[in-house]
Amino acid sequence: MLLFEYFNKLERMDQLIRFRCTGSPSEFANKIQVSERQIYYLLGVMKDMDAPIAYNKTLKTYYYASPVTLKICFEKKQTTIN
């Protein structure tokens, strides 16, 4: 998976988790077009980055147990010329 694709998958996962509409792990995998094994791997990566991800068995969805923001970007630094 290319790095750009990888970041896009993480951003899409974040969006679905944020709106609590992931579905079951297999449904979640289908929504972002990866295998179920890959979804568990990506969830693990997000958890390693301190994402407070939990799963609600009744609603069949992943969710954030506390508010977080995913940021994957470059920020321009202001430079000063002496």
Side-chain angles (χ1 to χ4, degrees):
M1 185 181 312
L2 297 173
L3 190 58
F4 182 74
E5 292 174 17
Y6 188 78
F7 289 155
N8 280 341
K9 300 271 186 216
L10 290 177
E11 288 176 335
R12 179 71 177 132
M13 288 176 68
D14 172 64
Q15 183 180 44
L16 292 170
I17 293 169
R18 190 169 307 288
F19 292 118
R20 296 182 180 218
C21 60
T22 64
S24 67
S26 62
E27 292 169 332
F28 195 13
N30 286 334
K31 287 180 181 184
I32 64 164
Q33 300 177 345
V34 297
S35 68
E36 191 171 341
R37 181 176 177 176
Q38 187 74 6
I39 202 73
Y40 287 118
Y41 171 78
L42 292 169
L43 286 167
V45 168
M46 293 175 79
K47 288 179 181 181
D48 287 346
M49 295 168 49
D50 293 328
I53 298 171
Y55 185 74
N56 183 311
K57 290 181 182 181
T58 305
L59 299 176
K60 294 183 181 175
T61 190
Y62 288 93
Y63 65 96
Y64 290 122
S66 59
V68 292
T69 301
L70 172 68
K71 289 186 179 182
I72 302 172
C73 65
F74 287 99
E75 292 183 5
K76 290 184 179 181
K77 291 185 176 182
Q78 290 192 343
T79 59
T80 56
I81 300 174
N82 294 330

mmCIF file of all heavy atoms in Angstrom, residues 41-81:
data_model
loop_
_atom_site.group_PDB
_atom_site.id
_atom_site.type_symbol
_atom_site.label_atom_id
_atom_site.label_comp_id
_atom_site.label_asym_id
_atom_site.label_seq_id
_atom_site.Cartn_x
_atom_site.Cartn_y
_atom_site.Cartn_z
ATOM 1 N N TYR A 41 -5.301 -4.681 11.739
ATOM 2 C CA TYR A 41 -3.954 -4.104 11.743
ATOM 3 C C TYR A 41 -4.028 -2.582 11.826
ATOM 4 O O TYR A 41 -3.340 -1.955 12.639
ATOM 5 C CB TYR A 41 -3.174 -4.533 10.491
ATOM 6 C CG TYR A 41 -1.863 -3.801 10.348
ATOM 7 C CD1 TYR A 41 -0.759 -4.175 11.113
ATOM 8 C CD2 TYR A 41 -1.736 -2.724 9.482
ATOM 9 C CE1 TYR A 41 0.444 -3.485 11.010
ATOM 10 C CE2 TYR A 41 -0.547 -2.025 9.376
ATOM 11 C CZ TYR A 41 0.537 -2.409 10.137
ATOM 12 O OH TYR A 41 1.711 -1.719 10.041
ATOM 13 N N LEU A 42 -4.861 -1.972 10.981
ATOM 14 C CA LEU A 42 -4.985 -0.513 10.959
ATOM 15 C C LEU A 42 -5.563 0.025 12.267
ATOM 16 O O LEU A 42 -5.132 1.073 12.756
ATOM 17 C CB LEU A 42 -5.839 -0.071 9.764
ATOM 18 C CG LEU A 42 -5.205 -0.298 8.398
ATOM 19 C CD1 LEU A 42 -6.228 -0.093 7.278
ATOM 20 C CD2 LEU A 42 -4.005 0.603 8.201
ATOM 21 N N LEU A 43 -6.511 -0.686 12.845
ATOM 22 C CA LEU A 43 -7.034 -0.282 14.158
ATOM 23 C C LEU A 43 -5.924 -0.344 15.204
ATOM 24 O O LEU A 43 -5.824 0.533 16.068
ATOM 25 C CB LEU A 43 -8.205 -1.173 14.576
ATOM 26 C CG LEU A 43 -9.515 -0.937 13.847
ATOM 27 C CD1 LEU A 43 -10.501 -2.077 14.120
ATOM 28 C CD2 LEU A 43 -10.130 0.397 14.248
ATOM 29 N N GLY A 44 -5.079 -1.348 15.113
ATOM 30 C CA GLY A 44 -3.948 -1.462 16.020
ATOM 31 C C GLY A 44 -2.972 -0.304 15.864
ATOM 32 O O GLY A 44 -2.463 0.231 16.853
ATOM 33 N N VAL A 45 -2.736 0.091 14.624
ATOM 34 C CA VAL A 45 -1.864 1.244 14.363
ATOM 35 C C VAL A 45 -2.449 2.491 14.999
ATOM 36 O O VAL A 45 -1.746 3.259 15.674
ATOM 37 C CB VAL A 45 -1.666 1.461 12.841
ATOM 38 C CG1 VAL A 45 -1.027 2.808 12.554
ATOM 39 C CG2 VAL A 45 -0.842 0.333 12.247
ATOM 40 N N MET A 46 -3.756 2.690 14.812
ATOM 41 C CA MET A 46 -4.407 3.864 15.393
ATOM 42 C C MET A 46 -4.340 3.826 16.920
ATOM 43 O O MET A 46 -4.078 4.844 17.554
ATOM 44 C CB MET A 46 -5.855 3.964 14.905
ATOM 45 C CG MET A 46 -5.960 4.270 13.421
ATOM 46 S SD MET A 46 -7.655 4.253 12.808
ATOM 47 C CE MET A 46 -8.212 5.868 13.354
ATOM 48 N N LYS A 47 -4.531 2.654 17.494
ATOM 49 C CA LYS A 47 -4.442 2.527 18.955
ATOM 50 C C LYS A 47 -3.023 2.774 19.434
ATOM 51 O O LYS A 47 -2.822 3.380 20.486
ATOM 52 C CB LYS A 47 -4.938 1.154 19.395
ATOM 53 C CG LYS A 47 -6.447 1.002 19.272
ATOM 54 C CD LYS A 47 -6.903 -0.387 19.687
ATOM 55 C CE LYS A 47 -8.405 -0.528 19.526
ATOM 56 N NZ LYS A 47 -8.880 -1.856 19.934
ATOM 57 N N ASP A 48 -2.026 2.349 18.658
ATOM 58 C CA ASP A 48 -0.626 2.620 19.000
ATOM 59 C C ASP A 48 -0.334 4.121 18.981
ATOM 60 O O ASP A 48 0.581 4.594 19.656
ATOM 61 C CB ASP A 48 0.331 1.911 18.041
ATOM 62 C CG ASP A 48 0.396 0.409 18.269
ATOM 63 O OD1 ASP A 48 -0.086 -0.067 19.324
ATOM 64 O OD2 ASP A 48 0.913 -0.296 17.377
ATOM 65 N N MET A 49 -1.126 4.867 18.205
ATOM 66 C CA MET A 49 -0.997 6.322 18.136
ATOM 67 C C MET A 49 -1.877 6.986 19.209
ATOM 68 O O MET A 49 -2.144 8.173 19.142
ATOM 69 C CB MET A 49 -1.393 6.812 16.741
ATOM 70 C CG MET A 49 -0.466 6.325 15.646
ATOM 71 S SD MET A 49 -1.070 6.588 13.949
ATOM 72 C CE MET A 49 -1.579 8.282 13.933
ATOM 73 N N ASP A 50 -2.333 6.189 20.175
ATOM 74 C CA ASP A 50 -3.154 6.640 21.311
ATOM 75 C C ASP A 50 -4.594 7.004 20.957
ATOM 76 O O ASP A 50 -5.230 7.771 21.675
ATOM 77 C CB ASP A 50 -2.485 7.802 22.060
ATOM 78 C CG ASP A 50 -1.211 7.371 22.755
ATOM 79 O OD1 ASP A 50 -1.132 6.203 23.178
ATOM 80 O OD2 ASP A 50 -0.292 8.208 22.864
ATOM 81 N N ALA A 51 -5.123 6.465 19.884
ATOM 82 C CA ALA A 51 -6.546 6.667 19.578
ATOM 83 C C ALA A 51 -7.365 5.813 20.543
ATOM 84 O O ALA A 51 -7.152 4.602 20.622
ATOM 85 C CB ALA A 51 -6.845 6.275 18.139
ATOM 86 N N PRO A 52 -8.292 6.427 21.274
ATOM 87 C CA PRO A 52 -9.100 5.683 22.249
ATOM 88 C C PRO A 52 -10.267 4.961 21.578
ATOM 89 O O PRO A 52 -11.432 5.288 21.781
ATOM 90 C CB PRO A 52 -9.582 6.786 23.197
ATOM 91 C CG PRO A 52 -9.703 7.988 22.299
ATOM 92 C CD PRO A 52 -8.574 7.857 21.303
ATOM 93 N N ILE A 53 -9.957 3.971 20.759
ATOM 94 C CA ILE A 53 -10.976 3.274 19.977
ATOM 95 C C ILE A 53 -11.586 2.154 20.805
ATOM 96 O O ILE A 53 -10.886 1.359 21.413
ATOM 97 C CB ILE A 53 -10.380 2.711 18.676
ATOM 98 C CG1 ILE A 53 -9.851 3.847 17.802
ATOM 99 C CG2 ILE A 53 -11.411 1.881 17.917
ATOM 100 C CD1 ILE A 53 -9.057 3.396 16.601
ATOM 101 N N ALA A 54 -12.918 2.107 20.794
ATOM 102 C CA ALA A 54 -13.663 1.053 21.485
ATOM 103 C C ALA A 54 -14.701 0.510 20.507
ATOM 104 O O ALA A 54 -14.946 1.098 19.447
ATOM 105 C CB ALA A 54 -14.327 1.606 22.734
ATOM 106 N N TYR A 55 -15.309 -0.613 20.869
ATOM 107 C CA TYR A 55 -16.323 -1.228 20.006
ATOM 108 C C TYR A 55 -17.598 -1.428 20.809
ATOM 109 O O TYR A 55 -17.560 -1.930 21.928
ATOM 110 C CB TYR A 55 -15.828 -2.570 19.460
ATOM 111 C CG TYR A 55 -16.774 -3.185 18.463
ATOM 112 C CD1 TYR A 55 -16.880 -2.683 17.174
ATOM 113 C CD2 TYR A 55 -17.585 -4.260 18.811
ATOM 114 C CE1 TYR A 55 -17.751 -3.239 16.257
ATOM 115 C CE2 TYR A 55 -18.455 -4.828 17.898
ATOM 116 C CZ TYR A 55 -18.536 -4.312 16.616
ATOM 117 O OH TYR A 55 -19.408 -4.864 15.711
ATOM 118 N N ASN A 56 -18.732 -1.031 20.239
ATOM 119 C CA ASN A 56 -20.031 -1.223 20.862
ATOM 120 C C ASN A 56 -20.690 -2.427 20.197
ATOM 121 O O ASN A 56 -21.065 -2.358 19.019
ATOM 122 C CB ASN A 56 -20.890 0.036 20.693
ATOM 123 C CG ASN A 56 -22.221 -0.071 21.387
ATOM 124 O OD1 ASN A 56 -22.936 -1.054 21.238
ATOM 125 N ND2 ASN A 56 -22.567 0.965 22.143
ATOM 126 N N LYS A 57 -20.830 -3.526 20.935
ATOM 127 C CA LYS A 57 -21.391 -4.758 20.373
ATOM 128 C C LYS A 57 -22.868 -4.616 20.034
ATOM 129 O O LYS A 57 -23.349 -5.222 19.073
ATOM 130 C CB LYS A 57 -21.202 -5.916 21.350
ATOM 131 C CG LYS A 57 -19.764 -6.351 21.495
ATOM 132 C CD LYS A 57 -19.639 -7.512 22.457
ATOM 133 C CE LYS A 57 -18.192 -7.909 22.648
ATOM 134 N NZ LYS A 57 -18.044 -9.037 23.562
ATOM 135 N N THR A 58 -23.585 -3.823 20.812
ATOM 136 C CA THR A 58 -25.018 -3.636 20.562
ATOM 137 C C THR A 58 -25.257 -2.873 19.267
ATOM 138 O O THR A 58 -26.070 -3.265 18.434
ATOM 139 C CB THR A 58 -25.683 -2.888 21.736
ATOM 140 O OG1 THR A 58 -25.419 -3.600 22.945
ATOM 141 C CG2 THR A 58 -27.185 -2.768 21.531
ATOM 142 N N LEU A 59 -24.532 -1.760 19.091
ATOM 143 C CA LEU A 59 -24.680 -0.931 17.888
ATOM 144 C C LEU A 59 -23.839 -1.417 16.724
ATOM 145 O O LEU A 59 -23.977 -0.928 15.607
ATOM 146 C CB LEU A 59 -24.320 0.523 18.210
ATOM 147 C CG LEU A 59 -25.177 1.216 19.263
ATOM 148 C CD1 LEU A 59 -24.637 2.613 19.553
ATOM 149 C CD2 LEU A 59 -26.630 1.276 18.824
ATOM 150 N N LYS A 60 -22.939 -2.365 17.005
ATOM 151 C CA LYS A 60 -22.017 -2.901 15.999
ATOM 152 C C LYS A 60 -21.254 -1.780 15.298
ATOM 153 O O LYS A 60 -21.318 -1.616 14.079
ATOM 154 C CB LYS A 60 -22.761 -3.771 14.985
ATOM 155 C CG LYS A 60 -23.322 -5.024 15.591
ATOM 156 C CD LYS A 60 -23.981 -5.904 14.547
ATOM 157 C CE LYS A 60 -24.554 -7.140 15.221
ATOM 158 N NZ LYS A 60 -25.295 -7.976 14.296
ATOM 159 N N THR A 61 -20.514 -1.021 16.103
ATOM 160 C CA THR A 61 -19.706 0.053 15.544
ATOM 161 C C THR A 61 -18.526 0.369 16.454
ATOM 162 O O THR A 61 -18.619 0.205 17.667
ATOM 163 C CB THR A 61 -20.536 1.335 15.307
ATOM 164 O OG1 THR A 61 -19.759 2.258 14.550
ATOM 165 C CG2 THR A 61 -20.993 1.986 16.598
ATOM 166 N N TYR A 62 -17.451 0.796 15.830
ATOM 167 C CA TYR A 62 -16.325 1.324 16.582
ATOM 168 C C TYR A 62 -16.631 2.789 16.872
ATOM 169 O O TYR A 62 -17.362 3.445 16.127
ATOM 170 C CB TYR A 62 -15.030 1.215 15.774
ATOM 171 C CG TYR A 62 -14.532 -0.201 15.653
ATOM 172 C CD1 TYR A 62 -14.885 -0.989 14.568
ATOM 173 C CD2 TYR A 62 -13.720 -0.755 16.636
ATOM 174 C CE1 TYR A 62 -14.435 -2.294 14.461
ATOM 175 C CE2 TYR A 62 -13.265 -2.068 16.541
ATOM 176 C CZ TYR A 62 -13.628 -2.827 15.450
ATOM 177 O OH TYR A 62 -13.198 -4.113 15.352
ATOM 178 N N TYR A 63 -16.049 3.301 17.945
ATOM 179 C CA TYR A 63 -16.229 4.702 18.303
ATOM 180 C C TYR A 63 -15.029 5.159 19.116
ATOM 181 O O TYR A 63 -14.245 4.341 19.592
ATOM 182 C CB TYR A 63 -17.533 4.910 19.093
ATOM 183 C CG TYR A 63 -17.534 4.227 20.447
ATOM 184 C CD1 TYR A 63 -17.201 4.928 21.603
ATOM 185 C CD2 TYR A 63 -17.851 2.875 20.578
ATOM 186 C CE1 TYR A 63 -17.184 4.303 22.842
ATOM 187 C CE2 TYR A 63 -17.847 2.242 21.806
ATOM 188 C CZ TYR A 63 -17.509 2.966 22.934
ATOM 189 O OH TYR A 63 -17.481 2.349 24.157
ATOM 190 N N TYR A 64 -14.898 6.469 19.254
ATOM 191 C CA TYR A 64 -13.857 7.022 20.110
ATOM 192 C C TYR A 64 -14.427 7.169 21.514
ATOM 193 O O TYR A 64 -15.468 7.788 21.697
ATOM 194 C CB TYR A 64 -13.369 8.381 19.600
ATOM 195 C CG TYR A 64 -12.580 8.291 18.313
ATOM 196 C CD1 TYR A 64 -12.975 8.978 17.172
ATOM 197 C CD2 TYR A 64 -11.425 7.526 18.242
ATOM 198 C CE1 TYR A 64 -12.240 8.907 15.999
ATOM 199 C CE2 TYR A 64 -10.686 7.445 17.070
ATOM 200 C CZ TYR A 64 -11.103 8.138 15.963
ATOM 201 O OH TYR A 64 -10.375 8.055 14.794
ATOM 202 N N ALA A 65 -13.728 6.603 22.494
ATOM 203 C CA ALA A 65 -14.178 6.660 23.881
ATOM 204 C C ALA A 65 -13.992 8.055 24.477
ATOM 205 O O ALA A 65 -14.631 8.380 25.476
ATOM 206 C CB ALA A 65 -13.434 5.621 24.718
ATOM 207 N N SER A 66 -13.142 8.862 23.875
ATOM 208 C CA SER A 66 -12.973 10.255 24.272
ATOM 209 C C SER A 66 -12.622 11.061 23.029
ATOM 210 O O SER A 66 -12.141 10.502 22.047
ATOM 211 C CB SER A 66 -11.885 10.390 25.351
ATOM 212 O OG SER A 66 -10.658 9.904 24.880
ATOM 213 N N PRO A 67 -12.876 12.367 23.062
ATOM 214 C CA PRO A 67 -12.645 13.199 21.870
ATOM 215 C C PRO A 67 -11.169 13.239 21.459
ATOM 216 O O PRO A 67 -10.291 13.435 22.302
ATOM 217 C CB PRO A 67 -13.114 14.585 22.300
ATOM 218 C CG PRO A 67 -13.937 14.379 23.525
ATOM 219 C CD PRO A 67 -13.438 13.134 24.170
ATOM 220 N N VAL A 68 -10.937 13.038 20.173
ATOM 221 C CA VAL A 68 -9.587 13.124 19.597
ATOM 222 C C VAL A 68 -9.677 13.724 18.209
ATOM 223 O O VAL A 68 -10.747 13.797 17.607
ATOM 224 C CB VAL A 68 -8.897 11.745 19.499
ATOM 225 C CG1 VAL A 68 -8.585 11.196 20.869
ATOM 226 C CG2 VAL A 68 -9.722 10.770 18.695
ATOM 227 N N THR A 69 -8.527 14.119 17.690
ATOM 228 C CA THR A 69 -8.434 14.626 16.325
ATOM 229 C C THR A 69 -7.266 13.933 15.642
ATOM 230 O O THR A 69 -6.167 13.887 16.199
ATOM 231 C CB THR A 69 -8.188 16.152 16.312
ATOM 232 O OG1 THR A 69 -9.263 16.799 16.983
ATOM 233 C CG2 THR A 69 -8.085 16.686 14.895
ATOM 234 N N LEU A 70 -7.503 13.397 14.463
ATOM 235 C CA LEU A 70 -6.442 12.795 13.661
ATOM 236 C C LEU A 70 -5.872 13.876 12.764
ATOM 237 O O LEU A 70 -6.612 14.557 12.053
ATOM 238 C CB LEU A 70 -6.995 11.654 12.806
ATOM 239 C CG LEU A 70 -6.033 11.053 11.786
ATOM 240 C CD1 LEU A 70 -4.901 10.314 12.498
ATOM 241 C CD2 LEU A 70 -6.754 10.131 10.836
ATOM 242 N N LYS A 71 -4.548 14.035 12.809
ATOM 243 C CA LYS A 71 -3.885 15.011 11.946
ATOM 244 C C LYS A 71 -2.766 14.310 11.184
ATOM 245 O O LYS A 71 -1.855 13.763 11.778
ATOM 246 C CB LYS A 71 -3.289 16.157 12.762
ATOM 247 C CG LYS A 71 -4.312 17.082 13.356
ATOM 248 C CD LYS A 71 -3.619 18.255 14.000
ATOM 249 C CE LYS A 71 -4.642 19.211 14.573
ATOM 250 N NZ LYS A 71 -4.003 20.391 15.158
ATOM 251 N N ILE A 72 -2.885 14.340 9.872
ATOM 252 C CA ILE A 72 -1.835 13.816 8.997
ATOM 253 C C ILE A 72 -1.583 14.910 7.968
ATOM 254 O O ILE A 72 -2.340 15.050 7.011
ATOM 255 C CB ILE A 72 -2.260 12.520 8.293
ATOM 256 C CG1 ILE A 72 -2.641 11.454 9.303
ATOM 257 C CG2 ILE A 72 -1.157 12.026 7.369
ATOM 258 C CD1 ILE A 72 -3.242 10.204 8.705
ATOM 259 N N CYS A 73 -0.573 15.714 8.229
ATOM 260 C CA CYS A 73 -0.333 16.829 7.314
ATOM 261 C C CYS A 73 1.065 17.397 7.514
ATOM 262 O O CYS A 73 1.745 17.085 8.475
ATOM 263 C CB CYS A 73 -1.370 17.921 7.527
ATOM 264 S SG CYS A 73 -1.277 18.710 9.143
ATOM 265 N N PHE A 74 1.435 18.240 6.595
ATOM 266 C CA PHE A 74 2.627 19.061 6.725
ATOM 267 C C PHE A 74 2.160 20.453 7.056
ATOM 268 O O PHE A 74 1.172 20.933 6.503
ATOM 269 C CB PHE A 74 3.437 19.086 5.423
ATOM 270 C CG PHE A 74 4.161 17.820 5.139
ATOM 271 C CD1 PHE A 74 3.639 16.903 4.257
ATOM 272 C CD2 PHE A 74 5.365 17.562 5.751
ATOM 273 C CE1 PHE A 74 4.297 15.717 3.985
ATOM 274 C CE2 PHE A 74 6.046 16.377 5.490
ATOM 275 C CZ PHE A 74 5.508 15.453 4.595
ATOM 276 N N GLU A 75 2.859 21.103 7.945
ATOM 277 C CA GLU A 75 2.555 22.487 8.255
ATOM 278 C C GLU A 75 3.729 23.341 7.838
ATOM 279 O O GLU A 75 4.888 22.999 8.115
ATOM 280 C CB GLU A 75 2.279 22.656 9.754
ATOM 281 C CG GLU A 75 1.009 21.986 10.199
ATOM 282 C CD GLU A 75 0.713 22.230 11.675
ATOM 283 O OE1 GLU A 75 1.447 23.001 12.332
ATOM 284 O OE2 GLU A 75 -0.247 21.646 12.166
ATOM 285 N N LYS A 76 3.435 24.444 7.198
ATOM 286 C CA LYS A 76 4.499 25.347 6.779
ATOM 287 C C LYS A 76 5.027 26.090 7.992
ATOM 288 O O LYS A 76 4.273 26.554 8.833
ATOM 289 C CB LYS A 76 3.987 26.353 5.757
ATOM 290 C CG LYS A 76 3.663 25.731 4.424
ATOM 291 C CD LYS A 76 3.253 26.798 3.434
ATOM 292 C CE LYS A 76 2.951 26.169 2.096
ATOM 293 N NZ LYS A 76 2.567 27.199 1.114
ATOM 294 N N LYS A 77 6.338 26.161 8.065
ATOM 295 C CA LYS A 77 6.982 26.931 9.123
ATOM 296 C C LYS A 77 7.325 28.295 8.570
ATOM 297 O O LYS A 77 7.742 28.418 7.421
ATOM 298 C CB LYS A 77 8.259 26.236 9.604
ATOM 299 C CG LYS A 77 8.028 24.978 10.351
ATOM 300 C CD LYS A 77 9.345 24.449 10.891
ATOM 301 C CE LYS A 77 9.138 23.228 11.738
ATOM 302 N NZ LYS A 77 10.412 22.756 12.302
ATOM 303 N N GLN A 78 7.142 29.283 9.406
ATOM 304 C CA GLN A 78 7.543 30.602 8.986
ATOM 305 C C GLN A 78 9.041 30.741 9.198
ATOM 306 O O GLN A 78 9.567 30.344 10.235
ATOM 307 C CB GLN A 78 6.795 31.673 9.779
ATOM 308 C CG GLN A 78 5.344 31.755 9.424
ATOM 309 C CD GLN A 78 4.711 33.004 10.016
ATOM 310 O OE1 GLN A 78 5.267 33.625 10.920
ATOM 311 N NE2 GLN A 78 3.562 33.376 9.490
ATOM 312 N N THR A 79 9.685 31.234 8.189
ATOM 313 C CA THR A 79 11.127 31.437 8.301
ATOM 314 C C THR A 79 11.416 32.916 8.358
ATOM 315 O O THR A 79 10.731 33.729 7.725
ATOM 316 C CB THR A 79 11.870 30.799 7.110
ATOM 317 O OG1 THR A 79 11.372 31.390 5.902
ATOM 318 C CG2 THR A 79 11.677 29.318 7.072
ATOM 319 N N THR A 80 12.403 33.252 9.105
ATOM 320 C CA THR A 80 12.823 34.640 9.170
ATOM 321 C C THR A 80 14.173 34.770 8.486
ATOM 322 O O THR A 80 15.049 33.917 8.630
ATOM 323 C CB THR A 80 12.931 35.131 10.629
ATOM 324 O OG1 THR A 80 13.819 34.279 11.324
ATOM 325 C CG2 THR A 80 11.567 35.113 11.304
ATOM 326 N N ILE A 81 14.319 35.823 7.751
ATOM 327 C CA ILE A 81 15.574 36.078 7.044
ATOM 328 C C ILE A 81 16.274 37.203 7.778
ATOM 329 O O ILE A 81 15.730 38.273 7.986
ATOM 330 C CB ILE A 81 15.312 36.467 5.572
ATOM 331 C CG1 ILE A 81 14.582 35.341 4.861
ATOM 332 C CG2 ILE A 81 16.634 36.807 4.889
ATOM 333 C CD1 ILE A 81 14.166 35.673 3.465
#
